[in-house]
Amino acid sequence: MLDSRNSRKLSAAVVLFQGVVTALFPQISVKFIKAMIGKNFDNAAELQVKPAYRRQLRAVGVGMVAAAGTDLLLQSAGETDDDLPAADGGDE
């Protein structure tokens, strides 16, 4: 089983990848959503996607990239902070 630190990195990397795909290729997300809706509703393949929805998907993808990228950066900064010796506040 993965430890907490590795699973957080893996999760952030997956979200980052999904965000890049969603931002660059929103039609892939549209196909995926139609397939998921089609499992529960009839005629889901006949749904028409409006351009505004594709723009919203791109915005969501960019947000996912920003959030996951920030998380990865903060995790790496936290690791370097953990490696620093603790300041005991004593002798100077």
Side-chain angles (χ1 to χ4, degrees):
M1 182 169 184
L2 295 173
D3 65 9
S4 173
R5 184 174 291 171
N6 285 339
S7 65
R8 280 189 60 197
K9 282 183 182 180
L10 179 63
S11 298
V14 168
V15 171
L16 182 70
F17 177 74
Q18 183 179 2
V20 168
V21 170
T22 301
L24 296 178
F25 309 107
Q27 63 272 16
I28 293 174
S29 293
V30 168
K31 287 180 184 179
F32 177 74
I33 292 166
K34 281 184 179 182
M36 292 298 105
I37 291 173
K39 293 188 182 295
N40 296 311
F41 296 95
D42 294 331
N43 302 325
E46 296 175 15
L47 292 172
Q48 297 296 316
V49 179
K50 294 182 179 181
Y53 183 70
R54 284 200 175 127
R55 285 193 303 273
Q56 292 167 357
L57 274 177
R58 287 183 193 272
V60 167
V62 169
M64 290 168 68
V65 168
T70 301
D71 186 37
L72 286 171
L73 288 173
L74 290 175
Q75 286 181 40
S76 66
E79 288 175 3
T80 57
D81 289 346
D82 291 344
D83 294 340
L84 295 175
D88 59 312
D91 309 332
E92 287 189 353

mmCIF file of all heavy atoms in Angstrom, residues 5-29:
data_model
loop_
_atom_site.group_PDB
_atom_site.id
_atom_site.type_symbol
_atom_site.label_atom_id
_atom_site.label_comp_id
_atom_site.label_asym_id
_atom_site.label_seq_id
_atom_site.Cartn_x
_atom_site.Cartn_y
_atom_site.Cartn_z
ATOM 1 N N ARG A 5 2.125 10.249 1.727
ATOM 2 C CA ARG A 5 2.813 11.234 0.891
ATOM 3 C C ARG A 5 2.790 10.827 -0.583
ATOM 4 O O ARG A 5 2.509 11.633 -1.458
ATOM 5 C CB ARG A 5 4.246 11.407 1.375
ATOM 6 C CG ARG A 5 5.006 12.494 0.623
ATOM 7 C CD ARG A 5 6.351 12.723 1.234
ATOM 8 N NE ARG A 5 6.147 13.345 2.531
ATOM 9 C CZ ARG A 5 7.098 13.548 3.429
ATOM 10 N NH1 ARG A 5 8.320 13.166 3.186
ATOM 11 N NH2 ARG A 5 6.839 14.127 4.578
ATOM 12 N N ASN A 6 3.053 9.552 -0.859
ATOM 13 C CA ASN A 6 3.058 9.082 -2.244
ATOM 14 C C ASN A 6 1.658 9.081 -2.841
ATOM 15 O O ASN A 6 1.484 9.387 -4.015
ATOM 16 C CB ASN A 6 3.668 7.683 -2.333
ATOM 17 C CG ASN A 6 5.165 7.704 -2.182
ATOM 18 O OD1 ASN A 6 5.800 8.724 -2.389
ATOM 19 N ND2 ASN A 6 5.735 6.582 -1.808
ATOM 20 N N SER A 7 0.653 8.727 -2.047
ATOM 21 C CA SER A 7 -0.705 8.727 -2.585
ATOM 22 C C SER A 7 -1.193 10.146 -2.856
ATOM 23 O O SER A 7 -1.931 10.373 -3.813
ATOM 24 C CB SER A 7 -1.663 7.991 -1.651
ATOM 25 O OG SER A 7 -1.785 8.654 -0.416
ATOM 26 N N ARG A 8 -0.770 11.113 -2.048
ATOM 27 C CA ARG A 8 -1.132 12.518 -2.330
ATOM 28 C C ARG A 8 -0.473 12.995 -3.617
ATOM 29 O O ARG A 8 -1.087 13.696 -4.415
ATOM 30 C CB ARG A 8 -0.708 13.422 -1.175
ATOM 31 C CG ARG A 8 -1.676 13.376 -0.008
ATOM 32 C CD ARG A 8 -1.369 14.415 1.017
ATOM 33 N NE ARG A 8 -1.450 15.740 0.397
ATOM 34 C CZ ARG A 8 -0.934 16.827 0.936
ATOM 35 N NH1 ARG A 8 -0.289 16.765 2.075
ATOM 36 N NH2 ARG A 8 -1.048 17.981 0.330
ATOM 37 N N LYS A 9 0.778 12.601 -3.827
ATOM 38 C CA LYS A 9 1.467 12.988 -5.059
ATOM 39 C C LYS A 9 0.798 12.350 -6.270
ATOM 40 O O LYS A 9 0.598 13.001 -7.290
ATOM 41 C CB LYS A 9 2.942 12.570 -5.010
ATOM 42 C CG LYS A 9 3.805 13.463 -4.198
ATOM 43 C CD LYS A 9 5.256 13.001 -4.286
ATOM 44 C CE LYS A 9 6.146 13.860 -3.438
ATOM 45 N NZ LYS A 9 7.535 13.424 -3.508
ATOM 46 N N LEU A 10 0.460 11.078 -6.148
ATOM 47 C CA LEU A 10 -0.196 10.377 -7.242
ATOM 48 C C LEU A 10 -1.563 10.998 -7.548
ATOM 49 O O LEU A 10 -1.910 11.212 -8.704
ATOM 50 C CB LEU A 10 -0.339 8.890 -6.912
ATOM 51 C CG LEU A 10 -1.040 8.039 -7.964
ATOM 52 C CD1 LEU A 10 -0.243 8.043 -9.265
ATOM 53 C CD2 LEU A 10 -1.242 6.629 -7.463
ATOM 54 N N SER A 11 -2.316 11.308 -6.520
ATOM 55 C CA SER A 11 -3.629 11.930 -6.710
ATOM 56 C C SER A 11 -3.504 13.287 -7.396
ATOM 57 O O SER A 11 -4.255 13.607 -8.315
ATOM 58 C CB SER A 11 -4.335 12.105 -5.368
ATOM 59 O OG SER A 11 -4.568 10.879 -4.755
ATOM 60 N N ALA A 12 -2.549 14.091 -6.957
ATOM 61 C CA ALA A 12 -2.347 15.398 -7.570
ATOM 62 C C ALA A 12 -1.909 15.256 -9.023
ATOM 63 O O ALA A 12 -2.339 16.025 -9.884
ATOM 64 C CB ALA A 12 -1.323 16.199 -6.773
ATOM 65 N N ALA A 13 -1.080 14.261 -9.305
ATOM 66 C CA ALA A 13 -0.630 14.044 -10.684
ATOM 67 C C ALA A 13 -1.790 13.618 -11.583
ATOM 68 O O ALA A 13 -1.889 14.069 -12.731
ATOM 69 C CB ALA A 13 0.479 12.998 -10.720
ATOM 70 N N VAL A 14 -2.685 12.783 -11.053
ATOM 71 C CA VAL A 14 -3.850 12.354 -11.834
ATOM 72 C C VAL A 14 -4.760 13.541 -12.123
ATOM 73 O O VAL A 14 -5.233 13.723 -13.250
ATOM 74 C CB VAL A 14 -4.614 11.224 -11.101
ATOM 75 C CG1 VAL A 14 -5.969 10.974 -11.728
ATOM 76 C CG2 VAL A 14 -3.787 9.956 -11.089
ATOM 77 N N VAL A 15 -4.998 14.379 -11.125
ATOM 78 C CA VAL A 15 -5.839 15.566 -11.319
ATOM 79 C C VAL A 15 -5.169 16.526 -12.301
ATOM 80 O O VAL A 15 -5.835 17.124 -13.149
ATOM 81 C CB VAL A 15 -6.140 16.256 -9.971
ATOM 82 C CG1 VAL A 15 -6.817 17.598 -10.164
ATOM 83 C CG2 VAL A 15 -7.004 15.355 -9.103
ATOM 84 N N LEU A 16 -3.854 16.665 -12.207
ATOM 85 C CA LEU A 16 -3.128 17.520 -13.137
ATOM 86 C C LEU A 16 -3.284 17.021 -14.571
ATOM 87 O O LEU A 16 -3.581 17.793 -15.486
ATOM 88 C CB LEU A 16 -1.645 17.566 -12.750
ATOM 89 C CG LEU A 16 -0.742 18.460 -13.587
ATOM 90 C CD1 LEU A 16 -1.052 19.923 -13.320
ATOM 91 C CD2 LEU A 16 0.711 18.183 -13.254
ATOM 92 N N PHE A 17 -3.118 15.719 -14.764
ATOM 93 C CA PHE A 17 -3.271 15.137 -16.094
ATOM 94 C C PHE A 17 -4.694 15.316 -16.606
ATOM 95 O O PHE A 17 -4.903 15.706 -17.754
ATOM 96 C CB PHE A 17 -2.901 13.648 -16.061
ATOM 97 C CG PHE A 17 -3.109 12.949 -17.376
ATOM 98 C CD1 PHE A 17 -2.239 13.176 -18.431
ATOM 99 C CD2 PHE A 17 -4.178 12.097 -17.565
ATOM 100 C CE1 PHE A 17 -2.428 12.553 -19.654
ATOM 101 C CE2 PHE A 17 -4.381 11.465 -18.777
ATOM 102 C CZ PHE A 17 -3.510 11.694 -19.832
ATOM 103 N N GLN A 18 -5.674 15.044 -15.754
ATOM 104 C CA GLN A 18 -7.071 15.199 -16.166
ATOM 105 C C GLN A 18 -7.373 16.658 -16.506
ATOM 106 O O GLN A 18 -8.100 16.949 -17.456
ATOM 107 C CB GLN A 18 -7.998 14.717 -15.059
ATOM 108 C CG GLN A 18 -9.465 14.787 -15.430
ATOM 109 C CD GLN A 18 -10.366 14.272 -14.324
ATOM 110 O OE1 GLN A 18 -9.896 13.899 -13.254
ATOM 111 N NE2 GLN A 18 -11.644 14.266 -14.591
ATOM 112 N N GLY A 19 -6.803 17.587 -15.765
ATOM 113 C CA GLY A 19 -7.004 19.002 -16.049
ATOM 114 C C GLY A 19 -6.404 19.419 -17.379
ATOM 115 O O GLY A 19 -7.005 20.182 -18.135
ATOM 116 N N VAL A 20 -5.224 18.903 -17.685
ATOM 117 C CA VAL A 20 -4.584 19.216 -18.969
ATOM 118 C C VAL A 20 -5.428 18.684 -20.125
ATOM 119 O O VAL A 20 -5.683 19.395 -21.105
ATOM 120 C CB VAL A 20 -3.145 18.649 -19.022
ATOM 121 C CG1 VAL A 20 -2.578 18.702 -20.431
ATOM 122 C CG2 VAL A 20 -2.245 19.401 -18.070
ATOM 123 N N VAL A 21 -5.890 17.451 -19.992
ATOM 124 C CA VAL A 21 -6.724 16.860 -21.049
ATOM 125 C C VAL A 21 -8.016 17.644 -21.199
ATOM 126 O O VAL A 21 -8.450 17.944 -22.319
ATOM 127 C CB VAL A 21 -6.996 15.369 -20.757
ATOM 128 C CG1 VAL A 21 -8.046 14.808 -21.704
ATOM 129 C CG2 VAL A 21 -5.708 14.566 -20.874
ATOM 130 N N THR A 22 -8.652 17.998 -20.090
ATOM 131 C CA THR A 22 -9.912 18.736 -20.146
ATOM 132 C C THR A 22 -9.712 20.124 -20.740
ATOM 133 O O THR A 22 -10.544 20.598 -21.515
ATOM 134 C CB THR A 22 -10.534 18.841 -18.741
ATOM 135 O OG1 THR A 22 -10.749 17.523 -18.240
ATOM 136 C CG2 THR A 22 -11.857 19.575 -18.775
ATOM 137 N N ALA A 23 -8.615 20.782 -20.400
ATOM 138 C CA ALA A 23 -8.371 22.127 -20.914
ATOM 139 C C ALA A 23 -8.038 22.111 -22.403
ATOM 140 O O ALA A 23 -8.487 22.975 -23.155
ATOM 141 C CB ALA A 23 -7.235 22.789 -20.131
ATOM 142 N N LEU A 24 -7.252 21.135 -22.834
ATOM 143 C CA LEU A 24 -6.819 21.101 -24.226
ATOM 144 C C LEU A 24 -7.800 20.396 -25.152
ATOM 145 O O LEU A 24 -7.930 20.767 -26.321
ATOM 146 C CB LEU A 24 -5.452 20.428 -24.329
ATOM 147 C CG LEU A 24 -4.302 21.150 -23.633
ATOM 148 C CD1 LEU A 24 -3.019 20.348 -23.765
ATOM 149 C CD2 LEU A 24 -4.118 22.548 -24.188
ATOM 150 N N PHE A 25 -8.467 19.377 -24.639
ATOM 151 C CA PHE A 25 -9.375 18.572 -25.464
ATOM 152 C C PHE A 25 -10.719 18.390 -24.769
ATOM 153 O O PHE A 25 -11.037 17.293 -24.291
ATOM 154 C CB PHE A 25 -8.758 17.199 -25.753
ATOM 155 C CG PHE A 25 -7.359 17.260 -26.295
ATOM 156 C CD1 PHE A 25 -6.276 16.913 -25.517
ATOM 157 C CD2 PHE A 25 -7.143 17.688 -27.595
ATOM 158 C CE1 PHE A 25 -4.987 16.971 -26.013
ATOM 159 C CE2 PHE A 25 -5.856 17.751 -28.110
ATOM 160 C CZ PHE A 25 -4.775 17.398 -27.316
ATOM 161 N N PRO A 26 -11.542 19.438 -24.683
ATOM 162 C CA PRO A 26 -12.812 19.305 -23.966
ATOM 163 C C PRO A 26 -13.765 18.304 -24.617
ATOM 164 O O PRO A 26 -14.629 17.753 -23.945
ATOM 165 C CB PRO A 26 -13.392 20.719 -23.978
ATOM 166 C CG PRO A 26 -12.727 21.405 -25.108
ATOM 167 C CD PRO A 26 -11.364 20.786 -25.225
ATOM 168 N N GLN A 27 -13.584 18.025 -25.917
ATOM 169 C CA GLN A 27 -14.471 17.072 -26.583
ATOM 170 C C GLN A 27 -14.314 15.666 -26.008
ATOM 171 O O GLN A 27 -15.262 14.879 -26.008
ATOM 172 C CB GLN A 27 -14.278 17.083 -28.101
ATOM 173 C CG GLN A 27 -12.924 16.657 -28.580
ATOM 174 C CD GLN A 27 -11.905 17.785 -28.663
ATOM 175 O OE1 GLN A 27 -12.094 18.853 -28.096
ATOM 176 N NE2 GLN A 27 -10.811 17.534 -29.345
ATOM 177 N N ILE A 28 -13.133 15.331 -25.476
ATOM 178 C CA ILE A 28 -12.944 14.028 -24.829
ATOM 179 C C ILE A 28 -13.793 13.954 -23.563
ATOM 180 O O ILE A 28 -14.446 12.941 -23.297
ATOM 181 C CB ILE A 28 -11.452 13.780 -24.518
ATOM 182 C CG1 ILE A 28 -10.671 13.625 -25.821
ATOM 183 C CG2 ILE A 28 -11.268 12.558 -23.624
ATOM 184 C CD1 ILE A 28 -9.181 13.528 -25.638
ATOM 185 N N SER A 29 -13.810 15.042 -22.802
ATOM 186 C CA SER A 29 -14.641 15.078 -21.598
ATOM 187 C C SER A 29 -16.117 15.009 -21.949
ATOM 188 O O SER A 29 -16.899 14.363 -21.247
ATOM 189 C CB SER A 29 -14.358 16.346 -20.794
ATOM 190 O OG SER A 29 -13.061 16.317 -20.268
#
